[in-house]
Amino acid sequence: MISIGGAIGTGLFLSSGTAIHTAGPGGALLAYAIVGAMVYFVMTSLGEMAAFMPTSGSFSTYASKFVDPAFGFAIGWTYWFNWAMTIAAELTASTMIMKFWFPDSPSWLWSGAFLTIIFLLNYLSVKGYGEGEYWLSLIKVSAIVIFIVVGILMIFGIMGGEAVGFKNFTVGDAPFPTGMMGVFIVFIAAGFSFQGTEIVGVAAGESEDPAKNVPKAVNSVFWRILLFYVLAIFVIGLLIPYTNPNLQNDSVMVSPFTLILKKAGIAFAASLMNAVILTAVLSAGNSSVYASTRMLFSMAREGQAPRIFAKLNKRGVPIASMIFTCAIGGLAFLASFFGDGTVYLWLMNAIGITGFIFWLGISVSHYRFRKAFLAQGHSLDELPYRAKWYPIGPIFAIACGIIVILAQNFQAFLADNVDWGSVVAAYLGIPLFIILLIGYKIFRKTKLVKLEEVDFDFDKKV
């Protein structure tokens, strides 16, 4: 369920309408399909390494062993920063969602309550995180399946009045009203919707049978992308014309999901979708604490973070790592109350690009993992799970990742007066990663690991 629900966030429920409005129904479908292919190859790369060498906080370990310890250090801290800041973002989102029902309530009440719930779920044990994520994912998945079924019934006129058919798919200049430029804009934005799928790799070190369960989870990625994103966007594109101005609004009141459910005759659609979005936010917050905590723990074990973060309590939870991460996330959230939220906005902009950086890191690590594995005389039959389409898969993911990272805020450069503040904020994650990489490389004098010297014999269950 972690793998099935991992990529379902507020982006699908609120931003899918903007994607269709920008690129048209065909353009949005194409953009999400391309990003979906990239994510699939990232996950198969991660699956091959995680099934063979399961370890909590896997990305930094793989990057250190298969590429360069400095690369692993930079990937690890970038990943931790990404998810620690995501905690702050989800706390902010939770207050906005609760004010849908309780408009006069104080923000700190809800953010404090949700941070406490998320902390306790992770504090109790890894089982607490897994159990919480299971039920939250189940709610999200059920909501999308119900939406798709209702949508299909509406397309054929079984619900909600007359049959819509495929007329909205070609209305006006659809299906590609803004050409490839619209597809490119949505392609860049769509990547953020899929961030979180890689948490399966982090959880591999604590799963019962990684060699069996990790490949199963990775293989479900393809069907998840096809069903939850591509099919949902296809249904929205058929039922709501891309020219509908409501698609530009990110409010739950005019979310494409809400609009379609209302048209189907479900009177409480807005409240229902708000509740579903709340589960998506809690799920993302729960995963943020888990992923960032395990990454900090893993780096501390390898000497890339203070040793105190490697300590476990009697339930096997890295409690010092968790307290520090939640404290940083809470402080980032409090930054939204000062200086008109300028500091907070910069932090949030900085994490936008980091997701693509560690996806890039996974693909590069896998490319070198497979080359080193064969260079040392190993057989592919030794691998519990083998990534399909190697080396095309990781190379495709690397190329897509580089394009998205470099084109992050390309629209700013097309304006008559370039807003350099927004440009710097959008690309902040790149210098952060480079400083970590070069700084560690100079300080520790690390070198690129030779393929013949890659160590495949370390403890596989760590």
Side-chain angles (χ1 to χ4, degrees):
M1 286 305 291
I2 290 168
S3 108
I4 292 171
I8 304 171
T10 54
L12 176 61
F13 298 114
L14 296 179
S15 302
S16 50
T18 304
I20 292 170
H21 185 79
T22 301
L29 270 176
L30 179 59
Y32 272 86
I34 294 171
V35 176
M38 175 181 74
V39 174
Y40 176 71
F41 287 126
V42 168
M43 289 301 295
T44 56
S45 289
L46 179 59
E48 180 170 299
M49 295 184 292
F52 185 73
M53 296 178 167
T55 173
S56 190
S58 55
F59 318 135
S60 64
T61 302
Y62 301 149
S64 293
K65 288 189 173 294
F66 309 140
V67 185
D68 186 317
F71 189 63
F73 176 83
I75 287 288
W77 278 106
T78 300
Y79 192 76
W80 174 84
F81 172 76
N82 177 84
W83 286 108
M85 291 304 103
T86 301
I87 295 171
E90 301 307 335
L91 291 178
T92 302
S94 70
T95 63
M96 293 167 61
I97 290 166
M98 293 308 296
K99 287 193 175 188
F100 175 88
W101 292 302
F102 308 99
D104 299 322
S105 59
S107 298
W108 62 264
L109 174 67
W110 302 116
S111 59
F114 290 130
L115 182 59
T116 302
I117 292 169
I118 291 166
F119 181 85
L120 289 175
L121 279 174
N122 282 269
Y123 175 77
L124 293 173
S125 67
V126 69
K127 187 178 180 181
Y129 157 73
E131 195 71 21
E133 194 60 23
Y134 175 86
W135 291 106
L136 292 170
S137 292
L138 185 61
I139 293 169
K140 293 187 291 183
V141 169
S142 300
I144 293 174
V145 170
I146 291 169
F147 168 79
I148 290 172
V149 171
V150 169
I152 291 172
L153 292 175
M154 290 174 68
I155 290 167
F156 293 103
I158 301 171
M159 284 184 73
E162 64 170 320
V164 178
F166 290 80
K167 65 180 182 182
N168 286 329
F169 207 78
T170 54
V171 69
D173 295 325
F176 298 95
T178 51
M180 288 310 295
M181 180 58 76
V183 174
F184 189 62
I185 292 170
V186 173
F187 167 69
I188 293 171
F192 301 108
S193 301
F194 289 98
Q195 289 184 17
T197 49
E198 75 290 330
I199 289 175
V200 172
V202 178
E206 295 178 271
S207 65
E208 198 169 303
D209 186 357
K212 177 184 175 183
N213 291 323
V214 171
K216 190 188 297 183
V218 168
N219 284 330
S220 76
V221 170
F222 173 77
W223 298 107
R224 177 176 66 232
I225 291 167
L226 186 68
L227 177 65
F228 298 140
Y229 278 90
V230 177
L231 190 52
I233 285 176
F234 182 61
V235 168
I236 295 168
L238 288 181
L239 291 173
I240 306 176
Y242 81 94
T243 51
N244 189 321
N246 285 325
L247 292 178
Q248 298 180 77
N249 198 319
D250 282 347
S251 167
V252 68
M253 294 297 291
V254 290
S255 156
F257 283 74
T258 304
L259 293 173
I260 288 170
L261 292 177
K262 274 186 176 178
K263 190 177 178 183
I266 301 174
F268 54 93
S271 286
L272 175 65
M273 285 314 305
N274 206 54
V276 171
I277 292 168
L278 180 61
T279 66
V281 167
L282 286 173
S283 171
N286 191 34
S287 295
S288 299
V289 172
Y290 177 81
S292 51
T293 296
R294 264 54 183 187
M295 182 58 75
L296 192 54
F297 162 75
S298 177
M299 290 190 297
R301 283 190 49 169
E302 296 179 13
Q304 295 181 337
R307 293 295 299 174
I308 190 173
F309 296 133
K311 292 184 178 180
L312 300 171
N313 65 12
K314 60 184 179 181
R315 290 183 295 276
V317 176
I319 190 66
S321 181
M322 187 183 300
I323 291 172
F324 177 72
T325 299
C326 288
I328 295 298
L331 287 172
F333 169 74
L334 291 175
S336 63
F337 294 102
F338 301 99
D340 295 325
T342 303
V343 174
Y344 177 76
L345 287 173
W346 274 65
L347 291 172
M348 291 305 106
N349 279 323
I351 70 170
I353 207 168
T354 54
F356 296 98
I357 290 174
F358 52 73
W359 280 355
L360 201 63
I362 291 169
S363 300
V364 171
S365 299
H366 174 236
Y367 181 80
R368 284 186 53 85
F369 164 80
R370 179 75 79 89
K371 287 183 76 70
F373 197 72
L374 295 176
Q376 294 186 23
H378 291 279
S379 167
L380 295 181
D381 294 333
E382 298 173 45
L383 298 173
Y385 172 78
R386 197 183 308 173
K388 299 174 181 66
W389 290 24
Y390 179 92
I392 295 172
I395 290 173
F396 175 79
I398 290 168
C400 285
I402 291 172
I403 290 170
V404 173
I405 289 169
L406 295 180
Q408 192 68 207
N409 195 20
F410 78 96
Q411 291 163 290
F413 297 103
L414 302 179
D416 293 332
N417 295 310
V418 178
D419 182 357
W420 289 106
S422 70
V423 170
V424 172
Y427 290 97
L428 197 59
I430 297 176
L432 174 68
F433 178 81
I434 292 173
I435 289 168
L436 288 169
L437 177 70
I438 295 176
Y440 192 84
K441 198 165 185 63
I442 293 172
F443 185 72
R444 290 291 181 92
K445 296 180 173 60
T446 65
K447 294 181 179 180
L448 183 72
V449 180
K450 294 180 180 179
L451 297 179
E452 298 77 16
E453 296 175 1
V454 168
D455 178 18
F456 292 108
D457 298 323
F458 75 107
D459 182 10
K460 291 185 183 180
K461 186 70 178 176
V462 294

